Amino acid sequence: MPDIQALVNDFLNNLRKRKIEGSQATAKQTAELLRSVISQQRVPYTNQAAALIDAVRTVGEQLIAANPVEIAVGNIVRRVLHSIREEDLSLATAAIAGLGISAESDDDDDFVREDHHILSAAAVAAAARSTLRPPSLQTLLEDMPDSAAVPHTSSSGGDSEGKSKSADKSSRSRKLKHDVIEAVNELIQDIATCHEQIAEQAVEHIHQNEVILTLGSSRTVLEFLCAAKEKKRSFRVFVAEGAPRYQGHLLAKELVARGLQTTVITDSAVFAMISRVNMVIVGAHAVMANGGVIAPVGLNMVALAAQRHAVPFVVLAGSHKLCPLYPHNPEVLLNELRSPSELLDFGDFSDCMDFGSGTGSSLLHVVNPAFDYVPPKLVSLFITDTGGHNPSYMYRLIADYYSADDFVVQRKPATGS
């Protein structure tokens, strides 16, 4: 079995050196690492959820600090923490429901008190609130055969009953960890198939003889457009090249290879061409809780041009890109500056250095941001693996994936005495 700390250190190095390209690959590897952390974490008999949360939070702090701009890392850490809380709550609800059925037995009192130590106080309180609601008629009818079939045990079966209770407590202590790992496996599967889930909706949004504009390169956009082509939809794609990395050239080659009519334009020509476009379809780096989008640099310009000409601006994003934070939160790092060498050749601009002053300070400064922020008022529609949503609904959709207790993963530093 590999050393978990070695796996964490290797992944941290890859994050710091930006060796992992794309939010999907980053999210998938983050979830796989946290699954390994959970599987190798020893949980105590009492307060197991807190032990798992502490283990995931400790590793998550390091992962987020290694590459704060890759918001997908923090999203996956928070979703795993949410899964732990949800599974703990589910077990607490089931336990309390089971105790309610056997409440007539006085012999179970000691076992009930001991069994409550396994569950977190928050989970028990939440489960109790849901359990205290009056049962529906359907629930009562479904429970009648089970209650009628409960056998009455005699006092002579005390030893075997005690052994069964001990075995039940032992199996329950392992169930939380098992259920959390299953939930993480489902998360990994969702991340792996998000492109296909989004692409299945393409035929509902792209129609015959339309002109689609996109910028840069996005695998989600590529699969979305190709899915519409496979449904015998005939349309043309304008691809803005996405300077300075010119990722649009790569997307254009892929589209042509799949038989789509493609036109490459410069980024500065977007406003001139937007009047011929029926829809703008782009990918996203992250979607914030207010519906704002962190996207490759240049997309804010495209969104403004689309708004000016009343062209729908559609954003494709998998659920792993939905972030529960707002752009103004201090935990959010919206941008980073890439190497100036993507813009200029230092050899050709060496004469711009001020050697006459003797300090060698540069007279030329190069700013090469990686991302743009597109406010929600410029977005017409979000298409995720769960369907299409308006920007105003994103906060409610995001709330289904996260717990408020996990929004801030980093712990506050302890103050010295």
Side-chain angles (χ1 to χ4, degrees), residues 50-267:
L52 292 179
I53 289 174
D54 287 342
V56 172
R57 190 183 293 272
T58 300
V59 175
E61 289 181 20
Q62 303 176 57
L63 300 182
I64 295 174
N67 189 357
V69 178
E70 191 53 78
I71 297 179
V73 173
N75 292 345
I76 297 304
V77 172
R78 296 182 182 95
R79 288 192 62 171
V80 171
L81 292 172
H82 176 68
S83 297
I84 296 173
R85 298 182 190 277
E86 286 291 300
E87 297 301 334
D88 186 39
L89 175 61
S90 177
L91 288 177
T93 304
I96 290 179
L99 295 176
I101 293 175
S102 59
E104 297 178 358
S105 175
D106 296 334
D107 296 335
D108 289 342
D109 290 345
D110 295 335
F111 170 61
V112 169
R113 285 190 288 268
E114 293 176 2
D115 193 51
H116 276 184
H117 292 295
I118 304 177
L119 308 171
S120 64
V124 171
R129 287 194 296 269
S130 62
T131 307
L132 289 176
R133 300 191 186 108
S136 64
L137 178 60
Q138 180 181 358
T139 304
L140 292 174
L141 293 175
E142 289 176 350
D143 288 343
M144 284 180 61
D146 295 333
S147 60
V150 174
H152 296 280
T153 57
S154 61
S155 59
S156 60
D159 294 338
S160 60
E161 185 179 354
K163 292 179 181 180
S164 64
K165 291 177 181 178
S166 177
D168 182 59
K169 289 189 290 184
S170 176
S171 63
R172 196 170 297 168
S173 66
R174 296 190 300 267
K175 184 169 178 56
L176 174 63
K177 189 173 176 180
H178 174 270
D179 290 349
V180 171
I181 292 176
E182 287 298 317
V184 176
N185 287 336
E186 293 179 4
L187 174 59
I188 294 173
Q189 182 65 20
D190 290 341
I191 296 172
T193 60
C194 69
H195 296 313
E196 291 78 4
Q197 298 293 329
I198 294 175
E200 289 178 357
Q201 308 169 56
V203 71
E204 302 174 8
H205 301 278
I206 298 179
H207 306 289
Q208 193 73 9
N209 298 325
E210 285 191 332
V211 178
I212 308 298
L213 172 67
T214 188
L215 181 142
S217 179
S218 167
R219 184 187 167 192
T220 310
V221 173
L222 172 64
E223 298 298 335
F224 191 82
L225 296 175
C226 292
K229 173 68 168 54
E230 293 174 358
K231 297 296 184 180
K232 308 302 181 183
R233 293 290 165 84
S234 177
F235 57 95
R236 174 176 288 276
V237 183
F238 287 172
V239 180
E241 56 186 0
R245 301 182 70 192
Y246 301 105
Q247 295 293 308
H249 296 176
L250 301 177
L251 178 62
K253 291 180 180 179
E254 290 282 351
L255 293 174
V256 171
R258 303 229 193 155
L260 276 82
Q261 302 181 51
T262 307
T263 302
V264 178
I265 64 174
T266 61
D267 297 343

Side-chain angles (χ1 to χ4, degrees), residues 337-359:
L337 299 180
R338 301 185 63 87
S339 171
S341 63
E342 294 181 350
L343 295 176
L344 300 177
D345 186 346
F346 290 124
D348 295 339
F349 286 84
S350 59
D351 55 344
C352 296
M353 300 291 290
D354 182 15
F355 296 104
S357 63
T359 61

Side-chain angles (χ1 to χ4, degrees), residues 79 82 86 393-403:
R79 288 192 62 171
H82 176 68
E86 286 291 300
Y393 182 74
M394 295 308 294
Y395 82 97
R396 183 65 188 88
L397 179 65
I398 289 173
D400 294 336
Y401 295 113
Y402 302 97
S403 298

